[in-house]
Amino acid sequence: MSEVQKSRQMAFPPSVLARIAPDVSLQRHLAIGLRPSLRNFTEFKSLEISQGNLNSLGENSVIGSAVAKNGDTSVFCGITLGIVETSGASPEYTSIYPVVEILRGRSGAPTDEEMITSQKIYESILHANIIPSESLKITPGYEIRDEENKTSSILYPDTPENISILEDIPSFSGNKKSYSFVLYAHLKVFSRSGPIFDLCYNTLLSALTNVTLPSIYIGDTSDKIKVPVRSRGNFGHLSGGDNLYIDSNKSLFHALKLQKNEMGYSSSFGVLDEIKPKTVVLADPEGDAEESCITSKINVITNKSGDSLKHVSICGGGANVSIDVLKESIRLAQLRSLHN
């Protein structure tokens, strides 16, 4: 080869080579026993999650939040609530409605990855039996106005004394409606560098443990409909209508009751046959090279103690997912749950 030809040879940085020739980049690293991210085959990225404290009331207020960083990827999760009228028997457990958004500097309709991830998170939390439906039921209070002193107070049917007062109110005795909270999660992903389900799922679970629910009362800002109420010799009125309001008294907030023993971690693995005859299991895939070349994938969700499997999914592809590979993936996922 002449000196001119040698001078024309191109050398690409590892990050560029991973984009233009991901298979070549991955094979080079696996041959020396490392991955493009320089992690060992069974090494997970460090996961740092911190909970927020955004309980200020107001329109679209956040009742629970968490921020997580996993490698180069960060996720912000904020949880908001809604109220629905319920009827009939409800299932024992419910879920949360997540919306995943990957920030790429563009706007438009959700991508397939965002919609599939959102649906999978909903199904995983529902079938893991984490959120009891009973914990979201609402026992509303009633706003009573004192016309003489031009003040109002809110009574909750949580004590025999309050119940005896409220039972004299026709609208209270005849109100057979039931209400329940509905939880929504908004997850924003920054600097995506690999599959996002694990990070979004783990961040959402952390945010759920940070949720505090407000008390709700029935009131009406109009002065048109009033029901006379007599309490302790004082004469007042109950606001009519079924308008629901959030009680801003922070002392009445209560933590969301969760089945914390059913909560755990989600872990993903890639399976490759690049080093013959050995099958390689790569924990926590990352980067363009690994993501584009790995077609066989395993996802495992275990509870916190690691002794129960909440979800296992296998996506077959270019590598053989044997029983031994599956056992190794489950073992690594259990170890991760125990040490986090």
Side-chain angles (χ1 to χ4, degrees):
M1 183 180 296
S2 66
E3 295 296 330
V4 176
Q5 290 175 320
K6 290 181 179 179
S7 63
R8 291 179 178 176
Q9 289 182 342
M10 300 182 65
F12 297 102
S15 59
V16 176
L17 183 62
R19 288 180 175 273
I20 62 177
D23 53 340
V24 174
S25 174
L26 185 59
Q27 289 174 10
R28 283 185 176 181
H29 285 85
L30 295 182
I32 62 176
L34 288 174
R35 299 160 63 174
S37 60
L38 303 184
R39 287 186 285 135
N40 295 328
F41 294 164
T42 58
E43 182 181 353
F44 291 92
K45 291 177 288 185
S46 61
L47 177 60
E48 302 175 3
I49 302 179
S50 59
Q51 295 180 339
N53 187 20
L54 304 177
N55 290 326
S56 59
L57 291 176
E59 187 177 0
N60 299 323
S61 60
V62 176
I63 60 170
S65 64
V67 179
K69 183 174 178 61
N70 191 214
D72 295 330
T73 305
S74 299
V75 170
F76 169 79
C77 176
I79 297 179
T80 59
L81 59 79
I83 299 175
V84 296
E85 184 179 335
T86 58
S87 60
S90 59
E92 185 176 1
Y93 295 95
T94 186
S95 187
I96 187 171
Y97 295 90
V99 177
V100 177
E101 181 183 0
I102 302 174
L103 279 300
R104 293 192 177 94
R106 58 127 182 97
S107 59
T111 64
D112 290 344
E113 181 182 22
E114 292 169 336
M115 292 188 291
I116 291 172
T117 302
S118 300
Q119 181 65 27
K120 187 175 180 181
I121 291 174
Y122 172 85
E123 297 288 347
S124 299
I125 292 180
L126 176 63
H127 297 297
N129 297 340
I130 293 174
I131 308 176
S133 298
E134 188 70 25
S135 65
L136 295 178
K137 287 186 177 180
I138 298 173
T139 303
Y142 286 76
E143 182 183 22
I144 295 179
R145 297 182 183 178
D146 187 336
E147 295 297 331
E148 181 179 350
N149 298 320
K150 303 299 182 182
T151 60
S152 64
S153 60
I154 302 171
L155 295 183
Y156 291 95
D158 53 356
T159 64
E161 182 182 4
N162 287 351
I163 292 178
S164 63
I165 298 173
L166 293 173
E167 283 179 345
D168 293 334
I169 303 172
S171 61
F172 174 79
S173 302
N175 188 1
K176 303 300 182 180
K177 294 181 180 179
S178 300
Y179 303 96
S180 179
F181 287 116
V182 179
L183 300 180
Y184 304 93
H186 308 268
L187 298 109
K188 294 186 180 294
V189 182
F190 302 87
S191 302
R192 179 193 179 282
S193 62
I196 61 173
F197 173 77
D198 291 347
L199 182 55
C200 290
Y201 181 85
N202 296 334
T203 306
L204 177 53
L205 288 190
S206 179
L208 278 174
T209 62
N210 184 233
V211 168
T212 53
L213 299 174
S215 294
I216 304 297
Y217 67 91
I218 295 176
D220 190 0
T221 56
S222 68
D223 296 326
K224 296 180 180 179
I225 305 175
K226 296 179 181 178
V227 180
V229 177
R230 186 173 296 278
S231 172
R232 297 179 183 175
N234 297 321
F235 189 76
H237 293 85
L238 172 72
S239 300
D242 282 345
N243 294 325
L244 298 173
Y245 298 94
I246 294 178
D247 193 334
S248 59
N249 186 353
K250 296 289 185 69
S251 65
L252 298 178
F253 281 33
H254 59 280
L256 173 64
K257 295 180 181 178
L258 302 169
Q259 295 283 85
K260 293 188 177 181
N261 59 316
E262 303 295 343
M263 301 173 67
Y265 271 84
S266 173
S267 302
S268 292
F269 305 87
V271 185
L272 288 170
D273 285 335
E274 298 295 332
I275 303 178
K276 302 294 184 179
K278 181 181 178 181
T279 299
V280 177
V281 177
L282 301 182
D284 211 357
E286 177 186 18
D288 296 323
E290 293 183 4
E291 187 175 9
S292 60
C293 294
I294 293 174
T295 54
S296 296
K297 304 173 184 177
I298 300 174
N299 177 243
V300 180
I301 301 178
T302 68
N303 64 351
K304 186 64 177 178
S305 60
D307 59 0
S308 175
L309 296 178
K310 311 307 296 181
H311 171 80
V312 176
S313 63
I314 303 173
C315 179
N320 178 29
V321 182
S322 63
I323 297 296
D324 291 336
V325 169
L326 181 58
K327 287 181 178 179
E328 176 67 7
S329 300
I330 294 175
R331 183 186 71 84
L332 293 172
Q334 291 173 328
L335 286 175
R336 188 189 189 197
S337 292
L338 287 172
H339 292 88
N340 285 281

